[in-house]
Amino acid sequence: MSKVVTKEEAIKRIKDNDRVGITGFVASVHPGTLVGRIGESFLSAGSPRNLTVYTSPGVSGLNVLAHEGLIGKAVASHYGLAPDLAPLINGNKFEAYCLPQGTIAQLFRTRAAGQPGLLSKVGLGTFIDPRLDGGRMNEAAKDSIVELMNIDGSEYIFYKSFDVDVAILRGTTADTKGNISMEKEMFFLDCCALAMAAKASGGIVMVEVERVVQAGTIDPRIIKVPHFLVDYVVVGDSDKLQMSANIKYNPAISGEIKIPMEAIPPLPMNERKVMARRAAMELVPGSIINLGIGVPDGISSVMAEEGISDMITVTIEAGVTGGTGVGGGDFGGAYNPEAIIDMPSQFDFYDGGNLDLTCLGMAEIDSGGNVNVGKFGTKVVGPGGFINISQNAKTAVFCGTLTAGGLRVGTGDGSLSILAEGKSKKFKKKVQQITFSGEYAGRSGQKVLYVTERAVFRLTDRGVELVEIAPGVDLQKGVLDQIEGNVSVSPQLKLMDERIFRNEPMGLNKIICTKEVR
């Protein structure tokens, strides 16, 4: 019997108080038709209501659930892409929790295996630590969903497993038996793990797809969710089936074809490119790295422009390895990927300490080297995969402008000029929320750099130290006066390489090839 049903029939299977797991990464692999229909059903019929929502990455499509009474509890890694949820979180209209992205994906897998939870060092020293906030994002969040444990003299966080009544997934093709392939998606995320978690919980699985074919006609090697995990299949609305926010479908991102690297446009010469170039100088041939969203994803473009893409293996937490990352609102995929694996396995690799370097964004930093990317006043964001990645990489490079809000710079001649200073300072006496712990990094012996458009800092056992300054920038007025916390100045303070600030390619291959090959 065919498992294909209408979206209305599928939504009727979701009951009040159900625990619902939803896939998606930014605007990719998200079942927007079904999730949108949940919001419509609540507004028209008042049901389903009081749902517990689980989602591992940040998903822009969750704005449609921002209705008081629809969500009773949420456990996510990132709320910033669904800003309409922020007033409900700040108003304590539902219990809001944040856990690391990779940990939530791994928790789906632990529930699938019938395990009570996950032991991990990920999150120690951050707001996830039960000695701090325990992952709670508002006063309504009362539960202790994490515990501190000591095993053989080492501290761990125990993340408690949870049941899933309904899993809502996205695929490309379904056959009438219910087998699901994902050949036109950017990546596969935690779809199979979430489906297994629902089945282990006695729940149901529904999948939104682009098309349905006859049973037995999909190549079994590309099936990502087998039929026995799937209860209902829905053909999604055509406008909800894009590969990402701005890309309908690009076969160079799904791995169907390869495009020439020169087809990827270079970054314009601005502060973002300056930071990406300086961060790229930390690369070592043969290394395995991760690049975050925002300024860091520009490093892929710098690598392509400089002709060094084949010297470094770039990974992205959604499961992509190799290629040149797609940036902005389409972040998560890559042009010409070498491999695409499931997301929980990608985070296993990260958590195991296998990354040589990661480059991530920073919104706030303090004198202890702590970084905040998750919460600012009433703005609720969350860390996404930041904690898993930053805590376990051998080298962590954080990128962000020294000030924000109206900052304008001039460059291109080998120096940097501040045309208009930003209104807010990012270096604080104390960050509002710790998403990277400088103290933990120091105990772990991790190398940590903080790269801005005008200066470079490093983490030492005495705190944060200024080690480089851009040509043309005044030390006192341009740097020290723009810092609220305490920062020391290295006796060996150097100028940043002037090639970073010129319009032409900087010869990055020669710079990094002087380093030891891994």
Side-chain angles (χ1 to χ4, degrees), residues 71-86:
I71 299 176
K73 176 180 178 180
V75 180
S77 72
H78 196 283
Y79 293 98
L81 292 168
D84 291 352
L85 291 174

Side-chain angles (χ1 to χ4, degrees), residues 159-194:
Y159 293 87
K160 300 177 184 179
S161 189
F162 40 73
D163 287 339
V164 178
D165 299 310
V166 183
I168 308 178
L169 318 178
R170 154 84 173 265
T172 300
T173 306
D175 68 19
T176 50
K177 197 174 180 179
N179 292 301
I180 307 296
S181 62
M182 303 178 68
E183 66 270 25
K184 293 178 70 175
E185 311 304 325
M186 271 190 172
F187 26 68
F188 314 133
L189 298 184
D190 46 11
C191 287
C192 193
L194 176 53

Side-chain angles (χ1 to χ4, degrees), residues 108-115 161-165 193-205 229:
F108 291 146
R109 203 166 54 189
T110 63
R111 182 63 191 93
Q115 298 168 354
S161 189
F162 40 73
D163 287 339
V164 178
D165 299 310
L194 176 53
M196 289 185 177
K199 284 302 177 183
S201 305
I204 61 172
V205 177
L229 297 177

Side-chain angles (χ1 to χ4, degrees), residues 467-491:
V467 292
E468 296 179 28
I469 186 170
V473 173
D474 180 78
L475 173 61
Q476 187 64 46
K477 181 181 178 181
V479 179
L480 299 181
D481 288 351
Q482 307 308 321
I483 295 173
E484 293 181 359
N486 296 317
V487 171
S488 63
V489 180
S490 171

Side-chain angles (χ1 to χ4, degrees), residues 6 13 109 123 218 231 400 404 470 516:
T6 66
R13 270 68 175 185
R109 203 166 54 189
I218 302 176
D231 297 286
E516 182 181 350

Side-chain angles (χ1 to χ4, degrees), residues 9 16 25 128 140 149 152 165-166 238 265 459 482 492 516:
E9 291 171 326
D16 294 352
F25 186 101
I128 304 296
M149 289 191 175
D152 295 333
D165 299 310
V166 183
S238 59
L459 181 64
Q482 307 308 321
Q492 290 81 42
E516 182 181 350

Side-chain angles (χ1 to χ4, degrees), residues 367-368 438 442 448 450 457-467 488:
S367 303
V448 183
Y450 310 88
F457 306 81
R458 69 176 179 179
L459 181 64
T460 73
D461 55 5
R462 302 175 303 281
V464 176
E465 180 182 60
L466 173 64
V467 292
S488 63

Side-chain angles (χ1 to χ4, degrees), residues 362-434:
M362 61 177 181
E364 286 184 346
I365 175 179
D366 64 22
S367 303
N370 300 312
V371 177
N372 173 25
V373 298
K375 194 173 185 181
F376 318 96
T378 60
K379 187 176 181 180
V380 181
V381 182
F386 184 97
I387 297 176
N388 299 87
I389 299 164
S390 64
Q391 183 176 316
N392 292 301
K394 297 178 181 71
T395 297
V397 180
F398 299 103
C399 292
T401 53
L402 192 66
T403 63
L407 173 67
R408 290 191 298 112
V409 303
T411 189
D413 61 352
S415 65
L416 184 83
S417 57
I418 308 300
L419 305 178
E421 192 59 83
K423 297 182 178 65
S424 61
K425 300 173 181 178
K426 290 190 175 182
F427 274 68
K428 307 290 186 181
K429 293 180 180 178
K430 183 180 180 181
V431 296
Q432 182 175 347
Q433 184 184 77
I434 299 175

